[in-house]
Amino acid sequence: MHRLILIGYMGVGKTTLGKALAKATGLAFYDLDWYIESRMRRTVKLLFDERGEEGFRQIEQRMLHEVAEFENVVISCGGGTPCFFDNMDYMNRQGHTLYLKATPDVILEHLRMSKNVRPLLLDKTDEQKRLFIEQQLEQRRAFYEKAQTTVDVTTLDSKEKIAQAVAGIVEKLHLPAAQL
């Protein structure tokens, strides 16, 4: 049984790398935010607007506990998921956690290209976003660094580099390769 849980700041590529890792290993892929939206029938932004961050984090914790019971999965968590309640310790007990680490500049560039709405960054200039990212990375570092494995994703800017990162994870964790 394999359960891989990807954590890291928003925009580092958890969903992109998670999908590629799931495909390479034949594991199912779950994005926690998508799972929440499917179960709650509301967007993450709407849940933030309706219930505030605390209300959203309570929902997120319940949904994390659901999806982290699934077997043979790759789970991509929201950037804040590890930082609330006992989520990080819980994830470490449930599966193998991987911290996808990138620099603030790389994260900001990824967020510029992303089509996703990021409630915490709405109405901020690029400079305000960069400062916010730096501050949050520092606040969250202790949680992120509890992950069992750290993967530097600063240079994952092509399909080839993503494939190399996936191959490295598969080898390091002795994961099965998908049957083609």
Side-chain angles (χ1 to χ4, degrees):
M1 192 274 302
H2 297 283
R3 193 178 289 131
L4 307 175
I5 304 171
L6 306 181
I7 65 165
Y9 200 72
M10 66 177 136
V12 296
K14 296 180 300 284
T15 299
T16 300
L17 192 65
K19 285 180 178 179
L21 186 56
K23 184 176 180 182
T25 58
L27 302 174
F29 175 75
Y30 288 89
D31 180 292
L32 185 59
D33 283 347
W34 298 349
Y35 185 79
I36 291 168
E37 290 180 350
S38 172
R39 294 272 283 111
M40 299 301 294
R41 300 190 192 305
R42 287 182 162 44
T43 65
V44 168
K45 182 188 180 319
L46 192 55
L47 289 168
F48 255 85
D49 291 347
E50 290 174 351
R51 301 180 188 214
E53 186 172 15
E54 179 64 26
F56 171 76
R57 296 300 178 187
Q58 290 172 357
I59 293 167
E60 180 182 55
Q61 182 190 34
R62 282 197 323 271
M63 299 297 112
L64 172 64
H65 280 250
E66 282 184 24
V67 78
E69 291 292 324
F70 300 167
E71 295 184 357
N72 296 316
V73 293
V74 175
I75 302 166
S76 169
C77 294
T81 305
C83 309
F84 293 86
F85 310 108
D86 68 341
N87 289 351
M88 193 63 221
D89 293 331
Y90 174 76
M91 290 185 283
N92 277 329
R93 288 190 307 270
Q94 290 301 107
H96 191 95
T97 52
L98 296 101
Y99 167 32
L100 306 189
K101 184 177 182 177
T103 65
D105 288 332
V106 168
I107 292 168
L108 185 58
E109 187 58 35
H110 288 182
L111 292 172
R112 279 189 194 119
M113 295 184 301
S114 174
K115 296 180 181 96
N116 296 337
V117 174
R118 310 292 181 159
L120 295 174
L121 295 179
L122 288 176
D123 303 322
K124 287 183 171 55
T125 66
D126 276 354
E127 189 52 40
Q128 290 169 327
K129 288 176 187 175
R130 188 178 195 296
L131 183 59
F132 183 80
I133 290 165
E134 287 174 355
Q135 291 169 341
Q136 280 211 312
L137 281 174
E138 185 55 35
Q139 291 168 356
R140 294 176 175 187
R141 185 167 47 93
F143 296 99
Y144 291 162
E145 289 179 352
K146 286 185 178 181
Q148 294 151 338
T149 300
T150 298
V151 179
D152 184 349
V153 294
T154 300
T155 61
L156 295 189
D157 56 4
S158 69
K159 288 181 180 180
E160 294 78 24
K161 289 180 183 175
I162 292 167
Q164 288 172 355
V166 166
I169 292 168
V170 167
E171 182 180 338
K172 180 175 184 165
L173 300 183
H174 308 289
L175 298 170
Q179 301 300 315
L180 301 177

Short mmCIF file of all heavy atoms in Angstrom, two decimals, residues 100-154:
data_model
loop_
_atom_site.label_atom_id
_atom_site.label_comp_id
_atom_site.label_asym_id
_atom_site.label_seq_id
_atom_site.Cartn_x
_atom_site.Cartn_y
_atom_site.Cartn_z
N LEU A 100 7.56 19.92 -1.48
CA LEU A 100 8.04 20.49 -2.73
C LEU A 100 8.46 21.93 -2.44
O LEU A 100 7.63 22.78 -2.12
CB LEU A 100 6.95 20.44 -3.80
CG LEU A 100 6.33 19.07 -4.07
CD1 LEU A 100 5.42 19.13 -5.30
CD2 LEU A 100 7.38 17.99 -4.23
N LYS A 101 9.75 22.18 -2.55
CA LYS A 101 10.35 23.44 -2.12
C LYS A 101 10.80 24.25 -3.33
O LYS A 101 11.45 23.72 -4.23
CB LYS A 101 11.54 23.12 -1.21
CG LYS A 101 12.21 24.32 -0.61
CD LYS A 101 13.33 23.87 0.33
CE LYS A 101 13.98 25.07 0.98
NZ LYS A 101 15.02 24.64 1.93
N ALA A 102 10.44 25.55 -3.33
CA ALA A 102 10.87 26.45 -4.40
C ALA A 102 11.15 27.83 -3.81
O ALA A 102 10.70 28.15 -2.71
CB ALA A 102 9.79 26.55 -5.48
N THR A 103 11.85 28.65 -4.56
CA THR A 103 12.16 30.01 -4.12
C THR A 103 10.93 30.90 -4.31
O THR A 103 10.04 30.61 -5.13
CB THR A 103 13.31 30.60 -4.94
OG1 THR A 103 12.87 30.74 -6.30
CG2 THR A 103 14.56 29.73 -4.88
N PRO A 104 10.86 32.02 -3.57
CA PRO A 104 9.74 32.95 -3.75
C PRO A 104 9.59 33.44 -5.19
O PRO A 104 8.47 33.58 -5.68
CB PRO A 104 10.08 34.11 -2.80
CG PRO A 104 10.92 33.47 -1.73
CD PRO A 104 11.72 32.41 -2.45
N ASP A 105 10.71 33.68 -5.88
CA ASP A 105 10.63 34.15 -7.27
C ASP A 105 9.99 33.11 -8.18
O ASP A 105 9.18 33.44 -9.04
CB ASP A 105 12.02 34.52 -7.79
CG ASP A 105 12.56 35.80 -7.18
OD1 ASP A 105 11.74 36.67 -6.80
OD2 ASP A 105 13.79 35.94 -7.08
N VAL A 106 10.36 31.84 -8.00
CA VAL A 106 9.78 30.76 -8.81
C VAL A 106 8.29 30.63 -8.51
O VAL A 106 7.47 30.51 -9.41
CB VAL A 106 10.52 29.43 -8.56
CG1 VAL A 106 9.77 28.25 -9.14
CG2 VAL A 106 11.93 29.50 -9.16
N ILE A 107 7.94 30.71 -7.23
CA ILE A 107 6.53 30.61 -6.84
C ILE A 107 5.73 31.74 -7.46
O ILE A 107 4.66 31.51 -8.04
CB ILE A 107 6.39 30.60 -5.30
CG1 ILE A 107 6.98 29.31 -4.72
CG2 ILE A 107 4.94 30.79 -4.89
CD1 ILE A 107 7.16 29.32 -3.22
N LEU A 108 6.24 32.96 -7.37
CA LEU A 108 5.54 34.12 -7.94
C LEU A 108 5.35 33.94 -9.45
O LEU A 108 4.27 34.21 -9.98
CB LEU A 108 6.29 35.41 -7.62
CG LEU A 108 5.60 36.70 -8.07
CD1 LEU A 108 4.21 36.83 -7.45
CD2 LEU A 108 6.46 37.91 -7.70
N GLU A 109 6.36 33.46 -10.13
CA GLU A 109 6.25 33.24 -11.58
C GLU A 109 5.20 32.18 -11.89
O GLU A 109 4.39 32.35 -12.80
CB GLU A 109 7.61 32.83 -12.16
CG GLU A 109 7.63 32.75 -13.67
CD GLU A 109 7.23 34.06 -14.36
OE1 GLU A 109 7.54 35.14 -13.85
OE2 GLU A 109 6.58 33.98 -15.43
N HIS A 110 5.18 31.09 -11.13
CA HIS A 110 4.16 30.05 -11.32
C HIS A 110 2.76 30.62 -11.09
O HIS A 110 1.83 30.30 -11.83
CB HIS A 110 4.39 28.87 -10.38
CG HIS A 110 5.57 28.04 -10.74
ND1 HIS A 110 5.90 26.90 -10.02
CD2 HIS A 110 6.50 28.14 -11.71
CE1 HIS A 110 6.98 26.36 -10.55
NE2 HIS A 110 7.36 27.10 -11.57
N LEU A 111 2.61 31.43 -10.05
CA LEU A 111 1.29 32.00 -9.74
C LEU A 111 0.84 32.97 -10.83
O LEU A 111 -0.36 33.06 -11.12
CB LEU A 111 1.32 32.69 -8.37
CG LEU A 111 1.49 31.74 -7.19
CD1 LEU A 111 1.70 32.53 -5.89
CD2 LEU A 111 0.30 30.81 -7.06
N ARG A 112 1.78 33.68 -11.44
CA ARG A 112 1.44 34.58 -12.55
C ARG A 112 0.85 33.79 -13.72
O ARG A 112 -0.05 34.26 -14.41
CB ARG A 112 2.67 35.34 -13.04
CG ARG A 112 3.04 36.53 -12.24
CD ARG A 112 4.14 37.32 -12.95
NE ARG A 112 4.74 38.27 -12.06
CZ ARG A 112 6.02 38.29 -11.71
NH1 ARG A 112 6.87 37.41 -12.21
NH2 ARG A 112 6.48 39.18 -10.88
N MET A 113 1.39 32.59 -13.96
CA MET A 113 0.95 31.77 -15.09
C MET A 113 -0.31 30.96 -14.78
O MET A 113 -0.98 30.49 -15.68
CB MET A 113 2.07 30.82 -15.51
CG MET A 113 3.29 31.53 -16.04
SD MET A 113 4.58 30.41 -16.64
CE MET A 113 4.97 29.44 -15.20
N SER A 114 -0.62 30.81 -13.50
CA SER A 114 -1.74 29.96 -13.08
C SER A 114 -3.08 30.62 -13.37
O SER A 114 -3.24 31.83 -13.26
CB SER A 114 -1.63 29.68 -11.58
OG SER A 114 -2.76 28.98 -11.13
N LYS A 115 -4.06 29.77 -13.70
CA LYS A 115 -5.42 30.24 -13.91
C LYS A 115 -6.25 30.14 -12.63
O LYS A 115 -7.37 30.61 -12.56
CB LYS A 115 -6.09 29.42 -15.01
CG LYS A 115 -5.45 29.58 -16.37
CD LYS A 115 -6.16 28.74 -17.42
CE LYS A 115 -5.50 28.89 -18.76
NZ LYS A 115 -4.55 27.85 -19.05
N ASN A 116 -5.69 29.51 -11.60
CA ASN A 116 -6.41 29.31 -10.34
C ASN A 116 -6.56 30.61 -9.57
O ASN A 116 -5.65 31.44 -9.54
CB ASN A 116 -5.69 28.29 -9.45
CG ASN A 116 -5.64 26.92 -10.07
OD1 ASN A 116 -6.46 26.59 -10.92
ND2 ASN A 116 -4.68 26.12 -9.66
N VAL A 117 -7.70 30.77 -8.92
CA VAL A 117 -7.94 31.91 -8.04
C VAL A 117 -7.30 31.59 -6.70
O VAL A 117 -7.55 30.53 -6.11
CB VAL A 117 -9.45 32.16 -7.86
CG1 VAL A 117 -9.71 33.25 -6.83
CG2 VAL A 117 -10.09 32.51 -9.19
N ARG A 118 -6.47 32.47 -6.21
CA ARG A 118 -5.79 32.29 -4.93
C ARG A 118 -6.34 33.33 -3.97
O ARG A 118 -5.92 34.50 -4.00
CB ARG A 118 -4.27 32.46 -5.08
CG ARG A 118 -3.64 31.65 -6.21
CD ARG A 118 -3.69 30.16 -5.94
NE ARG A 118 -3.06 29.43 -7.04
CZ ARG A 118 -2.59 28.21 -6.92
NH1 ARG A 118 -2.68 27.56 -5.80
NH2 ARG A 118 -2.05 27.62 -7.97
N PRO A 119 -7.29 32.93 -3.11
CA PRO A 119 -7.95 33.91 -2.23
C PRO A 119 -7.00 34.76 -1.40
O PRO A 119 -7.26 35.94 -1.18
CB PRO A 119 -8.83 33.03 -1.31
CG PRO A 119 -9.07 31.79 -2.09
CD PRO A 119 -7.83 31.58 -2.93
N LEU A 120 -5.89 34.19 -0.95
CA LEU A 120 -4.97 34.94 -0.10
C LEU A 120 -4.16 36.00 -0.86
O LEU A 120 -3.53 36.85 -0.24
CB LEU A 120 -4.01 33.98 0.61
CG LEU A 120 -4.65 33.00 1.59
CD1 LEU A 120 -3.62 32.00 2.12
CD2 LEU A 120 -5.31 33.74 2.74
N LEU A 121 -4.19 35.94 -2.20
CA LEU A 121 -3.39 36.88 -2.99
C LEU A 121 -4.23 37.88 -3.78
O LEU A 121 -3.67 38.73 -4.48
CB LEU A 121 -2.48 36.11 -3.96
CG LEU A 121 -1.40 35.24 -3.31
CD1 LEU A 121 -0.60 34.52 -4.37
CD2 LEU A 121 -0.49 36.06 -2.41
N LEU A 122 -5.53 37.80 -3.66
CA LEU A 122 -6.39 38.71 -4.41
C LEU A 122 -6.08 40.16 -4.06
O LEU A 122 -5.78 40.49 -2.92
CB LEU A 122 -7.87 38.42 -4.10
CG LEU A 122 -8.43 37.14 -4.69
CD1 LEU A 122 -9.87 36.94 -4.22
CD2 LEU A 122 -8.36 37.15 -6.21
N ASP A 123 -6.12 41.02 -5.07
CA ASP A 123 -5.96 42.47 -4.90
C ASP A 123 -4.59 42.89 -4.38
O ASP A 123 -4.45 43.93 -3.76
CB ASP A 123 -7.06 43.04 -3.98
CG ASP A 123 -8.46 42.74 -4.50
OD1 ASP A 123 -8.64 42.78 -5.74
OD2 ASP A 123 -9.34 42.44 -3.68
N LYS A 124 -3.56 42.09 -4.62
CA LYS A 124 -2.20 42.46 -4.24
C LYS A 124 -1.37 42.72 -5.50
O LYS A 124 -1.55 42.05 -6.51
CB LYS A 124 -1.54 41.33 -3.42
CG LYS A 124 -2.07 41.19 -2.00
CD LYS A 124 -1.32 40.11 -1.25
CE LYS A 124 -1.63 40.04 0.21
NZ LYS A 124 -3.00 39.91 0.59
N THR A 125 -0.46 43.70 -5.43
CA THR A 125 0.47 43.94 -6.53
C THR A 125 1.51 42.82 -6.51
O THR A 125 1.62 42.07 -5.54
CB THR A 125 1.20 45.29 -6.35
OG1 THR A 125 2.03 45.21 -5.19
CG2 THR A 125 0.21 46.45 -6.23
N ASP A 126 2.31 42.73 -7.58
CA ASP A 126 3.35 41.71 -7.62
C ASP A 126 4.33 41.84 -6.45
O ASP A 126 4.75 40.85 -5.87
CB ASP A 126 4.11 41.75 -8.95
CG ASP A 126 3.39 40.97 -10.04
OD1 ASP A 126 2.38 40.30 -9.76
OD2 ASP A 126 3.87 41.02 -11.19
N GLU A 127 4.70 43.08 -6.12
CA GLU A 127 5.62 43.28 -5.00
C GLU A 127 4.98 42.87 -3.68
O GLU A 127 5.63 42.24 -2.83
CB GLU A 127 6.09 44.75 -4.93
CG GLU A 127 7.21 44.99 -3.94
CD GLU A 127 8.41 44.07 -4.11
OE1 GLU A 127 8.82 43.77 -5.24
OE2 GLU A 127 8.95 43.63 -3.06
N GLN A 128 3.70 43.18 -3.49
CA GLN A 128 2.99 42.76 -2.28
C GLN A 128 2.87 41.23 -2.23
O GLN A 128 3.01 40.63 -1.15
CB GLN A 128 1.60 43.40 -2.22
CG GLN A 128 1.61 44.89 -1.97
CD GLN A 128 0.25 45.52 -2.18
OE1 GLN A 128 -0.54 45.10 -3.02
NE2 GLN A 128 -0.02 46.57 -1.40
N LYS A 129 2.64 40.63 -3.38
CA LYS A 129 2.56 39.16 -3.44
C LYS A 129 3.89 38.53 -3.05
O LYS A 129 3.93 37.58 -2.29
CB LYS A 129 2.17 38.69 -4.85
CG LYS A 129 0.73 38.96 -5.20
CD LYS A 129 0.43 38.56 -6.64
CE LYS A 129 -0.97 38.98 -7.04
NZ LYS A 129 -1.25 38.70 -8.45
N ARG A 130 4.99 39.07 -3.59
CA ARG A 130 6.31 38.51 -3.29
C ARG A 130 6.61 38.61 -1.79
O ARG A 130 7.07 37.66 -1.18
CB ARG A 130 7.39 39.23 -4.10
CG ARG A 130 8.75 38.57 -3.97
CD ARG A 130 9.79 39.29 -4.84
NE ARG A 130 10.98 38.50 -5.01
CZ ARG A 130 11.81 38.14 -4.03
NH1 ARG A 130 11.55 38.51 -2.80
NH2 ARG A 130 12.88 37.42 -4.28
N LEU A 131 6.33 39.77 -1.21
CA LEU A 131 6.55 39.96 0.22
C LEU A 131 5.66 39.01 1.03
O LEU A 131 6.12 38.39 2.00
CB LEU A 131 6.27 41.42 0.61
CG LEU A 131 6.52 41.80 2.07
CD1 LEU A 131 7.98 41.55 2.45
CD2 LEU A 131 6.15 43.25 2.30
N PHE A 132 4.42 38.88 0.63
CA PHE A 132 3.49 37.97 1.31
C PHE A 132 4.00 36.53 1.23
O PHE A 132 3.99 35.80 2.23
CB PHE A 132 2.11 38.09 0.65
CG PHE A 132 1.04 37.27 1.31
CD1 PHE A 132 0.43 37.69 2.47
CD2 PHE A 132 0.67 36.05 0.76
CE1 PHE A 132 -0.56 36.93 3.08
CE2 PHE A 132 -0.32 35.27 1.36
CZ PHE A 132 -0.93 35.72 2.53
N ILE A 133 4.46 36.12 0.04
CA ILE A 133 4.99 34.76 -0.15
C ILE A 133 6.20 34.54 0.77
O ILE A 133 6.28 33.52 1.45
CB ILE A 133 5.36 34.52 -1.63
CG1 ILE A 133 4.10 34.44 -2.48
CG2 ILE A 133 6.21 33.25 -1.79
CD1 ILE A 133 4.36 34.55 -3.98
N GLU A 134 7.12 35.49 0.78
CA GLU A 134 8.31 35.37 1.64
C GLU A 134 7.92 35.22 3.11
O GLU A 134 8.46 34.36 3.82
CB GLU A 134 9.23 36.58 1.47
CG GLU A 134 9.97 36.62 0.16
CD GLU A 134 10.75 37.91 -0.05
OE1 GLU A 134 10.64 38.84 0.80
OE2 GLU A 134 11.45 37.99 -1.06
N GLN A 135 6.97 36.04 3.56
CA GLN A 135 6.54 35.99 4.96
C GLN A 135 5.86 34.66 5.28
O GLN A 135 6.14 34.05 6.32
CB GLN A 135 5.60 37.16 5.27
CG GLN A 135 6.29 38.50 5.28
CD GLN A 135 5.32 39.66 5.33
OE1 GLN A 135 4.14 39.54 5.04
NE2 GLN A 135 5.84 40.83 5.71
N GLN A 136 4.99 34.21 4.38
CA GLN A 136 4.30 32.95 4.64
C GLN A 136 5.24 31.76 4.58
O GLN A 136 5.09 30.83 5.37
CB GLN A 136 3.13 32.76 3.67
CG GLN A 136 1.91 33.53 4.09
CD GLN A 136 0.65 32.84 3.67
OE1 GLN A 136 0.51 32.40 2.53
NE2 GLN A 136 -0.29 32.75 4.59
N LEU A 137 6.18 31.78 3.66
CA LEU A 137 7.16 30.68 3.60
C LEU A 137 7.92 30.58 4.92
O LEU A 137 8.16 29.49 5.43
CB LEU A 137 8.13 30.87 2.45
CG LEU A 137 7.64 30.48 1.06
CD1 LEU A 137 8.66 30.87 0.00
CD2 LEU A 137 7.32 29.00 0.98
N GLU A 138 8.29 31.73 5.48
CA GLU A 138 9.00 31.72 6.75
C GLU A 138 8.09 31.20 7.87
O GLU A 138 8.51 30.39 8.69
CB GLU A 138 9.52 33.13 7.08
CG GLU A 138 10.37 33.17 8.34
CD GLU A 138 11.54 32.20 8.35
OE1 GLU A 138 12.15 31.96 7.30
OE2 GLU A 138 11.85 31.68 9.45
N GLN A 139 6.83 31.63 7.89
CA GLN A 139 5.89 31.17 8.92
C GLN A 139 5.61 29.68 8.81
O GLN A 139 5.42 29.00 9.81
CB GLN A 139 4.56 31.93 8.80
CG GLN A 139 4.63 33.38 9.16
CD GLN A 139 3.37 34.15 8.75
OE1 GLN A 139 2.47 33.60 8.13
NE2 GLN A 139 3.33 35.42 9.10
N ARG A 140 5.60 29.17 7.60
CA ARG A 140 5.22 27.78 7.36
C ARG A 140 6.40 26.81 7.32
O ARG A 140 6.21 25.60 7.31
CB ARG A 140 4.44 27.68 6.03
CG ARG A 140 3.11 28.40 6.10
CD ARG A 140 2.40 28.37 4.78
NE ARG A 140 1.08 28.98 4.90
CZ ARG A 140 0.18 28.99 3.93
NH1 ARG A 140 0.45 28.40 2.77
NH2 ARG A 140 -1.00 29.56 4.13
N ARG A 141 7.60 27.36 7.29
CA ARG A 141 8.81 26.53 7.11
C ARG A 141 8.87 25.38 8.12
O ARG A 141 9.16 24.25 7.75
CB ARG A 141 10.06 27.40 7.20
CG ARG A 141 11.35 26.65 6.91
CD ARG A 141 12.53 27.58 6.70
NE ARG A 141 12.64 28.62 7.68
CZ ARG A 141 13.38 28.54 8.79
NH1 ARG A 141 14.08 27.46 9.03
NH2 ARG A 141 13.43 29.54 9.64
N ALA A 142 8.61 25.65 9.39
CA ALA A 142 8.71 24.60 10.41
C ALA A 142 7.74 23.44 10.13
O ALA A 142 8.07 22.28 10.38
CB ALA A 142 8.44 25.19 11.79
N PHE A 143 6.57 23.77 9.59
CA PHE A 143 5.60 22.72 9.26
C PHE A 143 6.07 21.94 8.03
O PHE A 143 6.08 20.72 8.02
CB PHE A 143 4.22 23.32 9.00
CG PHE A 143 3.62 23.97 10.20
CD1 PHE A 143 3.68 25.35 10.37
CD2 PHE A 143 3.00 23.21 11.18
CE1 PHE A 143 3.14 25.96 11.48
CE2 PHE A 143 2.45 23.81 12.31
CZ PHE A 143 2.51 25.19 12.46
N TYR A 144 6.44 22.68 6.97
CA TYR A 144 6.88 22.04 5.74
C TYR A 144 8.10 21.13 5.97
O TYR A 144 8.20 20.06 5.39
CB TYR A 144 7.24 23.08 4.68
CG TYR A 144 6.07 23.87 4.10
CD1 TYR A 144 6.30 25.07 3.44
CD2 TYR A 144 4.76 23.43 4.19
CE1 TYR A 144 5.27 25.80 2.88
CE2 TYR A 144 3.71 24.16 3.64
CZ TYR A 144 3.97 25.35 2.98
OH TYR A 144 2.94 26.06 2.43
N GLU A 145 9.00 21.59 6.82
CA GLU A 145 10.24 20.83 7.04
C GLU A 145 10.03 19.57 7.88
O GLU A 145 10.96 18.79 8.05
CB GLU A 145 11.32 21.74 7.63
CG GLU A 145 11.81 22.74 6.60
CD GLU A 145 12.87 23.70 7.12
OE1 GLU A 145 13.14 23.72 8.34
OE2 GLU A 145 13.42 24.44 6.28
N LYS A 146 8.83 19.34 8.36
CA LYS A 146 8.51 18.08 9.04
C LYS A 146 8.27 16.95 8.04
O LYS A 146 8.15 15.80 8.42
CB LYS A 146 7.25 18.23 9.91
CG LYS A 146 7.45 19.01 11.18
CD LYS A 146 6.16 18.99 11.99
CE LYS A 146 6.30 19.69 13.30
NZ LYS A 146 5.04 19.63 14.08
N ALA A 147 8.21 17.29 6.76
CA ALA A 147 8.00 16.27 5.73
C ALA A 147 9.14 15.27 5.75
O ALA A 147 10.28 15.61 6.08
CB ALA A 147 7.88 16.91 4.35
N GLN A 148 8.83 14.05 5.37
CA GLN A 148 9.83 12.99 5.38
C GLN A 148 10.86 13.14 4.26
O GLN A 148 11.98 12.66 4.38
CB GLN A 148 9.11 11.64 5.31
CG GLN A 148 8.30 11.41 6.57
CD GLN A 148 7.09 10.53 6.35
OE1 GLN A 148 6.60 10.39 5.24
NE2 GLN A 148 6.58 9.95 7.43
N THR A 149 10.47 13.78 3.16
CA THR A 149 11.36 13.99 2.02
C THR A 149 11.16 15.42 1.50
O THR A 149 10.03 15.89 1.44
CB THR A 149 11.05 12.99 0.89
OG1 THR A 149 11.23 11.66 1.37
CG2 THR A 149 11.95 13.20 -0.33
N THR A 150 12.26 16.08 1.16
CA THR A 150 12.19 17.40 0.53
C THR A 150 12.64 17.26 -0.91
O THR A 150 13.66 16.63 -1.19
CB THR A 150 13.07 18.42 1.27
OG1 THR A 150 12.60 18.56 2.61
CG2 THR A 150 13.05 19.78 0.58
N VAL A 151 11.86 17.84 -1.83
CA VAL A 151 12.17 17.81 -3.25
C VAL A 151 12.30 19.25 -3.73
O VAL A 151 11.35 20.03 -3.63
CB VAL A 151 11.06 17.09 -4.06
CG1 VAL A 151 11.40 17.07 -5.55
CG2 VAL A 151 10.82 15.68 -3.53
N ASP A 152 13.48 19.62 -4.23
CA ASP A 152 13.69 20.96 -4.76
C ASP A 152 13.04 21.04 -6.14
O ASP A 152 13.45 20.33 -7.07
CB ASP A 152 15.18 21.27 -4.86
CG ASP A 152 15.47 22.69 -5.31
OD1 ASP A 152 14.54 23.40 -5.76
OD2 ASP A 152 16.63 23.10 -5.22
N VAL A 153 12.02 21.88 -6.26
CA VAL A 153 11.29 21.99 -7.53
C VAL A 153 11.55 23.33 -8.22
O VAL A 153 10.82 23.72 -9.13
CB VAL A 153 9.76 21.77 -7.33
CG1 VAL A 153 9.48 20.34 -6.89
CG2 VAL A 153 9.19 22.76 -6.33
N THR A 154 12.61 23.99 -7.81
CA THR A 154 12.94 25.30 -8.37
C THR A 154 13.12 25.25 -9.88
O THR A 154 12.74 26.18 -10.58
CB THR A 154 14.21 25.86 -7.69
OG1 THR A 154 13.94 25.98 -6.29
CG2 THR A 154 14.59 27.21 -8.25
#
